[in-house]
Amino acid sequence: YEPTILRVSPKRHDIWETEIFGPVLCVTTFTDEVEAIALANSTSFGLAAAVLSDDITRANRVTKGLQAGIVWVNCSQPCFVQLPWGGVKRSGVGRELGPGGIDNYLEPKQICSYVSSSPLGWYSLPPMSKL
């Protein structure tokens, strides 16, 4: 498809609520920073976001308010294998890449050993010699 920019009203277009992959950008107007963050967060998805601003203090403030797995400031879509990659909300669970990305390939196991001779809560323990 050709690169496409769609200017939409989020309240009137389902496309605002759709996770689109491809050369498509949905844009809308906003009156202030609070509304911009609310509009960005009003979707069920949250893979990535970009903040473009010459005011780095404002960009950092907006970044903290966005519900997205990755937020780029004054750039878009660089990917570093050392950093975690993944979305929030319906854009996914878990992370790929980075040290945490290996967790998806591991099977953790919890082993809990109670070593006291006192009962644990309402459990009564057998005598230790019979274990």
Side-chain angles (χ1 to χ4, degrees):
Y1 295 100
E2 292 292 318
T4 304
I5 298 174
L6 302 170
R7 184 173 184 217
V8 300
S9 170
K11 294 179 182 163
R12 292 195 206 121
H13 289 279
D14 289 339
I15 199 157
W16 190 263
E17 185 60 29
T18 303
E19 189 169 45
I20 301 172
F21 293 95
V24 177
L25 175 66
C26 292
V27 297
T28 193
T29 57
F30 54 89
T31 55
D32 59 25
E33 191 177 300
V34 172
E35 183 185 13
I37 294 169
L39 284 166
N41 292 338
S42 69
T43 177
S44 298
F45 299 97
L47 180 57
V51 177
L52 306 175
S53 178
D54 59 358
D55 182 342
I56 196 65
T57 302
R58 174 182 255 185
N60 287 336
R61 188 172 54 242
V62 170
T63 296
K64 290 177 184 168
L66 293 173
Q67 297 169 359
I70 184 169
V71 181
W72 297 291
V73 177
N74 292 330
C75 60
S76 180
Q77 301 186 11
C79 182
F80 303 98
V81 296
Q82 303 89 338
L83 301 175
W85 176 273
V88 298
K89 304 181 194 180
R90 290 179 55 199
S91 289
V93 176
R95 293 292 178 265
E96 297 174 10
L97 307 178
I102 193 71
D103 290 343
N104 293 324
Y105 301 96
L106 302 176
E107 291 291 334
K109 179 189 288 188
Q110 181 189 119
I111 299 172
C112 179
S113 298
Y114 189 70
V115 296
S116 174
S117 59
S118 300
L120 175 62
W122 51 272
Y123 293 103
S124 59
L125 299 174
M128 295 302 272
S129 62
K130 292 186 179 181
L131 295 177

